Amino acid sequence: MKLSEIKNSLKVLETIAFELPNGELVPSHFHVTEVGKVTKHFIDCGGTVRNEEVVNFQLWEANDFDHRLHPEKLLNIIELSENKLKIPDLEIEVEYQMKETIGKFNLEFDGTNFLLVSKLTDCLAKDKCGIPPEKLKVKIGEWKAKENNCTPGSGCC
């Protein structure tokens, strides 16, 4: 989800809820303690120099049960961050304290809740690392050859 998308969503919501990948909601007394731009300048294992930028939100919960972050307040925080930090319309990454460490999540919206979607590591240079492309897994009994497509030179066998 991009920054412009969350801003549009916040304009029509009465309350804000973030849902964890396991379906649980972040406690409603959470705070957004940071909105910023994170730049990652790195080299992948294939030798390609890369530069990635995301907008980072940090969610935090305290024992402050009397205050709730309302959509218009978060929208104001986002707009202030855009202006002061010159943040463009980037993808959003969310940090949230898990049991032992900070979890990093992508963000989606289902029309009601903002969904914290698990991030996965990946090799960005599979072609240079010798990692074979993932093969299609098919059960032998379920595969059927198409009729009349298996002719000499067609590459089907």
Side-chain angles (χ1 to χ4, degrees):
M1 169 176 267
K2 288 191 163 206
L3 201 54
S4 59
E5 295 171 298
I6 194 171
K7 288 169 54 179
N8 288 334
S9 298
L10 288 169
K11 290 175 184 174
V12 298
L13 290 176
E14 292 184 25
T15 60
I16 305 171
F18 286 91
E19 185 176 321
L20 294 162
N22 65 5
E24 292 179 24
L25 293 178
V26 170
S28 60
H29 58 278
F30 75 91
H31 295 267
V32 174
T33 58
E34 296 177 12
V35 174
K37 179 173 70 170
V38 176
T39 301
K40 183 178 175 183
H41 189 207
F42 63 101
I43 189 166
D44 67 25
C45 59
T48 302
V49 175
R50 298 178 183 268
N51 191 35
E52 293 179 359
E53 288 186 325
V54 295
V55 175
N56 182 270
F57 288 12
Q58 185 180 83
L59 304 183
W60 179 70
E61 57 185 274
N63 294 328
D64 178 8
F65 298 100
D66 296 326
H67 295 92
R68 302 290 184 265
L69 182 63
H70 295 283
E72 64 276 2
K73 175 69 173 175
L74 181 53
L75 188 57
N76 289 338
I77 294 168
I78 292 168
E79 289 173 347
L80 179 64
S81 300
E82 284 178 304
N83 293 331
K84 295 287 184 183
L85 303 175
K86 308 294 185 226
I87 299 175
D89 191 24
L90 298 171
E91 289 290 325
I92 299 169
E93 174 182 86
V94 178
E95 294 179 347
Y96 179 66
Q97 181 67 47
M98 305 304 284
K99 288 183 181 179
E100 289 113 21
T101 190
I102 297 171
K104 284 189 168 190
F105 302 91
N106 289 321
L107 189 64
E108 295 179 2
F109 184 62
D110 69 3
T112 304
N113 296 334
F114 292 103
L115 309 175
L116 301 181
V117 179
S118 297
K119 294 179 74 114
L120 302 172
T121 60
D122 194 8
C123 175
L124 300 176
K126 291 180 184 86
D127 59 328
K128 295 180 180 170
C129 289
I131 298 172
E134 194 170 321
K135 294 182 180 179
L136 180 63
K137 294 179 182 179
V138 179
K139 291 182 182 177
I140 300 281
E142 294 177 0
W143 185 80
K144 294 180 182 179
K146 293 183 180 178
E147 292 181 37
N148 300 326
N149 286 347
C150 212
T151 59
S154 69
C156 68
C157 48

